[in-house]
Amino acid sequence: WKITSGTYCSYNAFSNVDLRVQIKIPGGVDAYIVTVLGERKEVTEELWRECQISSLLRAIMHSDPLAYNVTGLRRVTPVPTLRDEARLVDAVTQQFWNGWSLGSNAETQMISTSRNFLADGLMRYFAGAGRYADYAAEILAPLAYAPLGGQQSPVRESMDFKGVDPEIASILAETYLEGDEEVQAVRVMHQALKVKPSCYPLLYIQAEFLRRKDQLESALKIARMAVKYAPSEFHAWAKLAEIYIDTKDFKRALLTLNACPMYTFVGRDLPRVPPPRRINYPVKSDILADYNLGEAFNNSTHGPVPSNSRSSIDSDAPGLAEEMAQNETSDILRLSAPTLNGTFAHAYRFLSNIFGVVGWDELLLLRSQVFVMEEEYRNSSVPGVAVDDEVEDEEDDHLPLSALRERALSESQSKG
């Protein structure tokens, strides 16, 4: 076989265009973009930069083998060298203010500068290696602060807040908190809240910081302010419910969870790869030759390790084996908890936390004290009254109008 041409495609999520590089052998290289209407246009430097960031974000967000795995897929480091990282930092600094155009996760209602896929991807990239200080110093601090005197130095008292977008300060404060630089985080939150006291991301970070310090009363006040300024955001309500759980105020926690805005979960659009026609795996002897597997495990004290845990359970503990077999056929496997995603999974986790503290019976008692279920509402006055009313209504539907009028008249005369 002989390769005569090839086309490399990469989607630009900022401008919603497809960048293509076509190679012809012999011939040359041609780069162009294809719009959503199928039009072919020239590539600009800005489009190249947007495409670079888009491809790197896809590599970072899809880097979890458990979430996305394809047969024969080879995972490489998105940013292999420090030089490539410097180029990434420069591109992200120029494109950071347009990150809202990428969208956000399913748990965010209002897309903003701090709540989008660009901010999430950068946090995941630097947090994966514990490089919070690098993220704060190289990207966030230059966007939020202007050093006096023109000298580039770390963020200290000699740096004033720009006030361009306080949400950048919320990411910076969160990064400082994760990097155990609480003094810097408090200073950033203080300066940013003076510029915009109603900034919901800042209030959210401040409430979480106070909750970690066991200042629950102050955290509760800040969380209520976050809900006041962002009533449509799930995270604000969730943080308020979490603080109520910490303060053992489970009734208000249930009411808050019931008032949480729930969003429809939209899963990540992962690229689908068709099944391969043929797979050539390396020979087993070649794999073993390249890796030192160490000595074989020998447990002489406690005996050999059973190859099948179920067989050992069946032989050693027949009662446990019967219990496991009974659980497999019970209704536990049909619970909806494993299928919950997004905001519904978060709310279920809070309910599980309450259940772990008070128990099932107490949780049912709290629910009956806070909420009135539909069946309880129908049978609340006298048992059987609601059912009898429904039966009478069904019987009344078959009576003529004159009979209903006469019966109503007789009832009114008897009452008089």
Side-chain angles (χ1 to χ4, degrees):
W1 48 269
K2 182 179 180 181
I3 298 178
T4 58
S5 64
T7 303
Y8 173 79
C9 302
S10 182
Y11 182 69
N12 183 350
F14 287 92
S15 302
N16 296 327
V17 296
D18 194 24
L19 191 146
R20 300 182 182 181
V21 180
Q22 188 175 8
I23 303 175
K24 295 182 180 180
I25 307 173
V29 180
D30 186 18
Y32 57 93
I33 62 171
V34 178
T35 64
V36 292
L37 301 178
E39 302 175 354
R40 176 170 173 170
K41 296 183 178 181
E42 296 294 330
V43 186
T44 61
E45 183 179 355
E46 183 179 0
L47 291 176
W48 278 111
R49 183 172 59 252
E50 294 176 353
C51 186
Q52 175 194 6
I53 299 175
S54 300
S55 59
L56 288 175
L57 286 178
R58 284 191 292 268
I60 294 172
M61 302 299 285
H62 298 168
S63 60
D64 188 5
L66 299 178
Y68 181 69
N69 193 14
V70 179
T71 303
L73 175 64
R74 180 186 178 187
R75 300 182 183 275
V76 297
T77 305
V79 187
T81 63
L82 293 177
R83 181 180 179 182
D84 294 332
E85 183 175 297
R87 295 175 55 188
L88 171 63
V89 170
D90 181 66
V92 167
T93 304
Q94 301 180 40
Q95 206 66 29
F96 194 88
W97 303 106
N98 297 328
W100 59 270
S101 60
L102 299 178
S104 63
N105 52 34
E107 301 171 6
T108 302
Q109 178 70 11
M110 299 297 295
I111 304 173
S112 61
T113 309
S114 62
R115 297 288 190 269
N116 55 69
F117 282 125
L118 178 59
D120 296 343
L122 290 175
M123 178 63 78
R124 181 171 182 176
Y125 171 75
F126 286 98
R131 300 172 54 196
Y132 297 103
D134 296 339
Y135 183 33
E138 297 179 3
I139 297 180
L140 297 178
L143 293 174
Y145 286 87
L148 299 178
Q151 56 181 0
Q152 299 293 333
S153 59
V155 179
R156 293 294 183 265
E157 291 85 357
S158 61
M159 308 182 74
D160 296 333
F161 186 70
K162 287 182 180 179
V164 177
D165 192 346
E167 293 189 2
I168 304 295
S170 68
I171 311 177
L172 183 59
E174 181 182 4
T175 306
Y176 280 142
L177 290 176
E178 296 297 335
D180 293 333
E181 297 186 14
E182 297 179 351
V183 176
Q184 297 288 349
V186 172
R187 180 179 295 112
V188 169
M189 289 187 291
H190 172 68
Q191 295 176 351
L193 285 173
K194 287 195 302 183
V195 176
K196 188 177 180 181
S198 61
C199 183
Y200 146 70
L202 280 171
L203 296 174
Y204 177 87
I205 298 299
Q206 189 177 16
E208 174 62 18
F209 172 70
L210 293 173
R211 191 188 71 85
R212 293 181 184 179
K213 295 298 180 181
D214 292 332
Q215 302 292 332
L216 298 180
E217 294 184 2
S218 301
L220 186 60
K221 295 179 181 179
I222 300 300
R224 288 175 178 173
M225 293 176 61
V227 171
K228 175 183 178 181
Y229 292 123
S232 62
E233 290 294 338
F234 171 81
H235 289 290
W237 290 89
K239 185 58 62 180
L240 181 59
E242 186 177 6
I243 296 175
Y244 276 135
I245 294 174
D246 294 338
T247 57
K248 309 300 181 182
D249 192 352
F250 301 115
K251 292 184 180 180
R252 292 184 182 272
L254 291 176
L255 289 172
T256 305
L257 287 176
N258 187 61
C260 283
M262 310 300 288
Y263 313 137
T264 303
F265 178 77
V266 179
R268 187 180 300 169
D269 188 12
L270 299 176
R272 298 182 178 271
V273 179
R277 181 179 179 182
R278 183 175 61 256
I279 303 176
N280 296 325
Y281 290 107
V283 183
K284 185 177 181 180
S285 59
D286 297 339
I287 300 176
L288 297 179
D290 294 337
Y291 294 93
N292 183 13
L293 301 180
E295 298 180 358
F297 178 75
N298 186 11
N299 192 356
S300 58
T301 304
H302 303 283
V305 179
S307 58
N308 191 350
S309 60
R310 173 56 65 88
S311 62
S312 63
I313 292 175
D314 294 341
S315 59
D316 298 337
L320 182 60
E322 294 177 0
E323 184 179 354
M324 293 177 62
Q326 184 179 1
N327 290 337
E328 291 179 355
T329 58
S330 65
D331 295 336
I332 297 178
L333 296 179
R334 290 191 288 270
L335 294 175
S336 59
T339 61
L340 297 177
N341 295 296
T343 56
F344 297 93
H346 279 278
Y348 186 85
R349 191 177 302 113
F350 289 137
L351 291 176
S352 301
N353 294 339
I354 299 176
F355 163 74
V357 175
V358 301
W360 180 250
D361 295 335
E362 186 67 21
L363 179 59
L364 292 179
L365 180 61
L366 290 172
R367 187 204 67 173
S368 62
Q369 294 176 355
V370 176
F371 305 112
V372 178
M373 308 305 291
E374 182 178 0
E375 184 178 357
E376 297 174 354
Y377 174 74
R378 291 181 176 181
N379 304 328
S380 59
S381 57
V382 179
V385 173
V387 178
D388 295 341
D389 292 342
E390 291 179 358
V391 174
E392 291 178 1
D393 292 340
E394 292 178 358
E395 294 176 356
D396 293 343
D397 292 339
H398 301 284
L399 293 177
L401 184 60
S402 58
L404 292 175
R405 188 180 295 108
E406 291 177 0
R407 191 174 71 176
L409 199 63
S410 61
E411 289 178 357
S412 62
Q413 290 177 356
S414 62
K415 290 180 181 179

